Amino acid sequence: MSKGTKRAVLVGCNYPKTQFSLHGCINDVKAIRDVILDFGFKDVNVLVDLPGSPVPPTGANIKDALNRMVNKAKPGDVLFFYFSGHGTRIPIFQPGQPFKQDEAIVACDLNLVTDVDFRRFVNRLPEGASFTILSDSCHSGGLIEKEKEQFGAEHMMTPVNPNKPKPSKVKAKSLTFDIIHSAIDTAAGILHDAANVGQKIFGIFGKDVSLKFHPHYVDGLMVLDPLEEDEGILLSGCEANETSYDLVLENKAFGAFTDAVVNVIRQTGAGISNRHLVAEAAKILKDNGFEQNPCLYCSDENTNTPFLGGFA
């Protein structure tokens, strides 16, 4: 059990009154908040996009909340970031380099928080502190840049249950980058041009933009490599190339991965390891007919450490 302070930032984005609205993300935040109180979390910051919310989960507000949490961290502290909402993949075109796509979460204002941002937060941890991310979003695998994958689709032995009927309302928690790009074009009042999308995003969000789109990072003047054995821990709802699902069942809206995680914790109690939690949540998803494959990314040492340091 951790002897330090436990701090959390919990974010839920339903994107109300938009063409890409979801239903269960704020409910997911409430469910996770109830669970982590048993783990001894006292400092819990919640950002949701309810109408009239005093601090909406914009990209700037999410990063500000994470920045303040990391700044407070001391050796032995347990930091936790939870996100339920849309994820996306950013196409990366670099001359002489193979095409790749990087992962990001989508804030309520479409200002992305990317794998590079999360790597930067992890690299700033004081020795002995940990930073766990649980993201119920599409393309969430790999959300901490260059973190080592310890559990994923190749480790799953349980097949998808083909006989499980799907709920009537199921929606992928994914926004393609083209949709985000088009919205940015509209906001900027300029024509679609994939070659300078980073400049567009930087021009709109300025200092609040993801580090991935900052000129110093784009030009290679800033390099963020992982530490040899860092304390970043990612539990993702799916692989980087997969979707996570938002569903409505019996008039209750929730994320499939979050619901599975909450059920596993309630059934197993204190001390469940990061790997065991992901593996058991994956079994529930397969039994319920979902093809998404939850993943665990962390150091070898943190694979079997208790999730969030165990119960208080």
Side-chain angles (χ1 to χ4, degrees):
M1 184 180 70
S2 168
K3 296 180 181 179
T5 301
K6 294 188 174 183
R7 311 178 192 277
V9 173
L10 314 180
V11 175
C13 294
N14 276 339
Y15 317 93
K17 299 181 180 180
T18 69
Q19 62 182 358
F20 36 84
S21 63
L22 298 172
H23 301 287
C25 300
I26 294 175
N27 290 341
D28 289 342
V29 166
K30 294 175 181 176
I32 289 292
R33 184 181 184 278
D34 289 345
V35 164
I36 68 171
L37 293 179
D38 291 333
F39 285 80
F41 280 82
K42 305 295 184 184
D43 184 353
V44 180
N45 188 3
V46 174
L47 287 75
V48 294
D49 58 355
L50 284 170
S53 175
V55 186
T58 63
N61 287 340
I62 292 171
K63 284 180 284 188
D64 179 64
L66 292 173
N67 190 53
R68 286 186 284 112
M69 181 171 70
V70 171
N71 283 344
K72 291 179 184 177
K74 295 179 173 56
D77 285 359
V78 174
L79 309 185
F80 178 50
F81 174 63
Y82 171 80
F83 178 77
S84 180
H86 281 302
T88 193
R89 301 190 86 185
I90 305 164
I92 304 297
F93 301 93
Q94 292 179 322
Q97 298 294 323
F99 171 74
K100 68 172 185 172
Q101 298 185 85
D102 289 343
E103 297 74 37
I105 60 172
V106 183
C108 70
D109 62 345
L110 304 187
N111 187 4
L112 305 180
V113 185
T114 72
D115 56 345
V116 172
D117 299 314
F118 290 116
R119 165 51 59 197
R120 189 182 193 187
F121 286 125
V122 169
N123 283 6
R124 287 172 50 200
L125 292 175
E127 186 175 356
S130 65
F131 187 1
T132 298
I133 298 171
L134 196 158
S135 189
D136 192 347
S137 56
C138 290
H139 313 301
S140 46
L143 204 49
I144 304 177
E145 186 187 37
K146 299 179 182 177
E147 197 65 65
K148 182 178 180 180
E149 184 174 2
Q150 301 285 359
F151 183 93
E154 70 274 16
H155 301 98
M156 270 303 300
M157 299 293 106
T158 304
V160 175
N161 181 356
N163 300 316
K164 187 74 173 182
K166 286 284 197 309
S168 57
K169 292 183 179 180
V170 178
K171 194 168 186 178
K173 303 172 86 168
S174 174
L175 276 184
T176 66
F177 195 70
D178 282 346
I179 293 176
I180 296 170
H181 191 177
S182 295
I184 288 168
D185 277 349
T186 301
I190 51 182
L191 296 176
H192 186 96
D193 179 1
N196 68 357
V197 64
Q199 293 175 349
K200 294 178 187 179
I201 294 174
F202 185 77
I204 292 170
F205 297 112
K207 64 181 178 59
D208 296 323
V209 77
S210 167
L211 181 62
K212 186 177 291 290
F213 304 114
H214 194 283
H216 284 180
Y217 185 83
V218 173
D219 294 339
L221 301 178
M222 183 183 296
V223 178
L224 292 176
D225 288 325
L227 308 177
E228 288 187 8
E229 286 288 309
D230 66 57
E231 294 299 320
I233 302 166
L234 169 65
L235 292 79
S236 67
C238 60
E239 296 272 6
N241 62 347
E242 293 180 341
T243 53
S244 293
Y245 291 96
D246 178 78
L247 56 139
V248 179
L249 184 64
E250 298 177 354
N251 295 319
K252 178 188 175 185
F254 55 91
F257 178 55
T258 298
D259 187 64
V261 166
V262 169
N263 282 323
V264 171
I265 292 172
R266 286 174 176 166
Q267 292 167 10
T268 58
I272 186 169
S273 72
N274 292 310
R275 190 183 195 282
H276 190 199
L277 177 55
V278 172
E280 291 302 307
K283 289 179 183 178
I284 291 175
L285 289 169
K286 297 298 184 186
D287 189 55
N288 287 334
F290 291 99
E291 296 185 0
Q292 65 190 83
N293 292 285
C295 303
L296 172 66
Y297 292 77
C298 63
S299 66
D300 294 342
E301 181 181 352
N302 282 327
T303 302
N304 292 308
T305 58
F307 176 63
L308 299 180
F311 280 7

